[in-house]
Amino acid sequence: MHALTEMAGELVFYFVSGPAILNWVEMLAREEIEEAPCVATHLLGLILLATTISSRLSSSGTKGGG
């Protein structure tokens, strides 16, 4: 069951754009962002970094480098 949940999360990151994910996270965590903006800013930055890396890795895999 854990593996299925993880696969579903990977599919979300593959098919949904980084900005869309950030908007979704911001919408869900709006209260926490208002209470602790410094922590929230760091977390959102990490999410953006993760989605950027994921997007670069998936695009480099489709170029047929090998």
Side-chain angles (χ1 to χ4, degrees):
M1 186 64 171
H2 177 46
L4 290 175
T5 305
E6 190 170 329
M7 288 173 57
E10 290 293 324
L11 287 173
V12 168
F13 279 115
Y14 185 76
F15 289 110
V16 179
S17 70
I21 293 171
L22 287 175
N23 287 337
W24 182 70
V25 169
E26 193 271 334
M27 179 185 70
L28 291 175
R30 186 172 308 248
E31 272 186 38
E32 288 78 11
I33 290 171
E34 291 172 355
E35 291 175 10
C38 182
V39 173
T41 301
H42 283 64
L43 290 175
L44 290 174
L46 288 174
I47 292 168
L48 179 59
L49 177 64
T51 55
T52 301
I53 290 171
S54 175
S55 132
R56 288 184 182 174
L57 288 176
S58 66
S59 69
S60 68
T62 58
K63 290 181 181 176

